[in-house]
Amino acid sequence: MFAALGAVQDPELRRPITELGMVGSVSVDDDGAARVAILLTISGCPLRGTIVDDVTAAATAVEGVVSVAVDVGVMTPEQRAELKAGLKKRTAPFTEPGSLTRIVAVASGKGGVGKSSLTVNLACAMAADGLRVGIIDADVHGFSVPGLMGISQAPTRVDELILPPVAHGVKVISIGMFVDGNQPVVWRGPMLHRALEQFLTDVHFGDLDVLLLDLPPGTGDIAISVSQLLPGSGLLVVTTPQSAAAEVAERAGAVAKQTGQEVLGVVENMSWMDLPDGGRMEPFGSGGGELLAARLSKTLGVDVGLLGRIPLDPRLREGGDSGRPVVLAAPESAVSLEIRRIARTLSRRPRGLAGRSLGVTPA
């Protein structure tokens, strides 16, 4: 029975409940009646029902079990302290030299180019490919990621530890989860830096393959803080096809020359619209992505490629409004196929070992 419960994962920590010390006791009597005691991290755990259902299903599948009763309790302060200590030991901070988490900061020169929609769709595409993915909504003043991901629940707190909500297999944190309703966040530079720093230190993402950051448009405080707090992050610059937008986006990418970050590439959004007669319309012109990639290559002195051109499709907007990104809602659409291709290009990009600890000592 205990082995069967090992298949049940805590929906927030994404680890087996048996490893987390959440199984208090297990018993099965001669008549096949099973009783399982589960210890939640906090009394108001928002996913209590999910855990009970998953435990019931796992126990019912055990041969000889005809009924299952789940008793729900709460961890003692000592048990929570032990859990937190275990989580901290297993967490690989993104700034450690040996961290293999790929960090992608999605940037744009101005708002309205679809940067946030691209971020959540890239994350969901990567998660669907089996990667462990997280998103930090770093656009503190214009947060939108919770709505785009369909997240309405607040993060769970275990004392000072914050457990991010999970949607579509992606762990997400945003300042929007800590404000009431649609209240504005009126903060200046130092507070913005502190918020981002807290997301990186107090939020338990666990071991991630990819961490995406949805940056605010432009080259303000958050962009500078990201370069300081996550010096190994790379920039993905989003633009639309018109040359005016590309000129503005160039500034967002050129900041890498001062921060020392790598520009991973350019993505052109809203490139064209497919018409019912099989033709294409380019409502925002054409060539902006190529122009931006060429300018950044010249400014930075390295080859910056155009990673993809995403068509204008109403389903992309509909997916954002419904909280189910288009790569999941319409996976075979042209827009989804292009986003998935870009996601795989980013996730499979080779990484060198320069500056990394190999964990070996010369004999």
Side-chain angles (χ1 to χ4, degrees), residues 78 91 121 158 180 201 203 289:
E78 293 75 21
T91 299
N121 276 281
V158 181
D180 294 328
T201 56
V203 177

Side-chain angles (χ1 to χ4, degrees), residues 81-347:
E82 185 177 347
L83 170 65
K84 287 190 297 178
L87 291 176
K88 288 179 180 178
K89 283 186 283 189
R90 291 179 62 95
T91 299
F94 307 122
T95 54
E96 286 188 0
S99 173
L100 294 178
T101 301
R102 186 184 304 277
I103 304 172
V104 180
V106 185
S108 68
K110 64 186 187 66
V113 300
K115 169 182 54 62
S116 298
S117 295
L118 178 62
T119 300
V120 301
N121 276 281
L122 287 174
C124 290
M126 292 175 180
D129 278 346
L131 298 180
R132 296 164 297 182
V133 186
I135 298 177
I136 292 179
D137 187 357
D139 193 351
V140 174
H141 292 137
F143 57 84
S144 60
V145 171
L148 293 172
M149 292 289 283
I151 297 174
S152 57
Q153 71 190 77
T156 299
R157 287 182 175 271
V158 181
D159 298 331
E160 75 277 5
L161 197 66
I162 301 173
L163 308 182
V166 181
H168 313 303
V170 180
K171 296 182 178 181
V172 182
I173 196 70
S174 170
I175 199 67
M177 299 172 180
F178 300 91
V179 299
D180 294 328
N182 199 29
Q183 294 298 309
V185 177
V186 187
W187 289 354
R188 302 183 72 175
M191 295 179 70
L192 298 173
H193 181 92
R194 176 57 187 150
L196 181 60
E197 187 175 38
Q198 188 171 12
F199 284 165
L200 293 170
T201 56
D202 294 351
V203 177
H204 177 73
F205 282 102
D207 296 328
L208 296 180
D209 295 306
V210 184
L211 174 66
L212 293 112
L213 291 93
D214 181 27
L215 300 185
T219 57
D221 293 308
I222 288 290
I224 297 171
S225 293
V226 168
S227 69
Q228 294 173 340
L229 296 171
L230 296 167
S233 58
L235 292 176
L236 179 67
V237 186
V238 183
T239 187
T240 46
Q242 67 267 41
S243 58
E247 290 177 5
V248 177
E250 183 183 355
R251 301 169 203 156
V255 73
K257 192 169 187 177
Q258 301 178 46
T259 61
Q261 294 167 283
E262 177 187 7
V263 176
L264 303 175
V266 171
V267 173
E268 182 185 276
N269 197 19
M270 309 180 198
S271 298
W272 70 85
M273 177 181 289
D274 290 319
L275 301 177
D277 62 3
R280 284 185 175 181
M281 180 175 67
E282 296 177 332
F284 301 109
S286 63
E290 290 92 341
L291 176 64
L292 175 58
R295 287 185 173 181
L296 287 176
S297 297
K298 182 178 180 180
T299 299
L300 301 175
V302 296
D303 183 32
V304 176
L306 176 62
L307 300 186
R309 301 174 69 232
I310 300 173
L312 185 62
D313 189 327
R315 286 174 290 186
L316 182 61
R317 189 270 306 164
E318 292 166 359
D321 288 345
S322 67
R324 184 169 173 77
V326 69
V327 294
L328 303 177
E332 300 306 317
S333 63
V335 62
S336 295
L337 293 175
E338 181 68 350
I339 292 174
R340 285 160 57 191
R341 189 188 64 78
I342 296 169
R344 287 168 181 161
T345 299
L346 289 170
S347 61

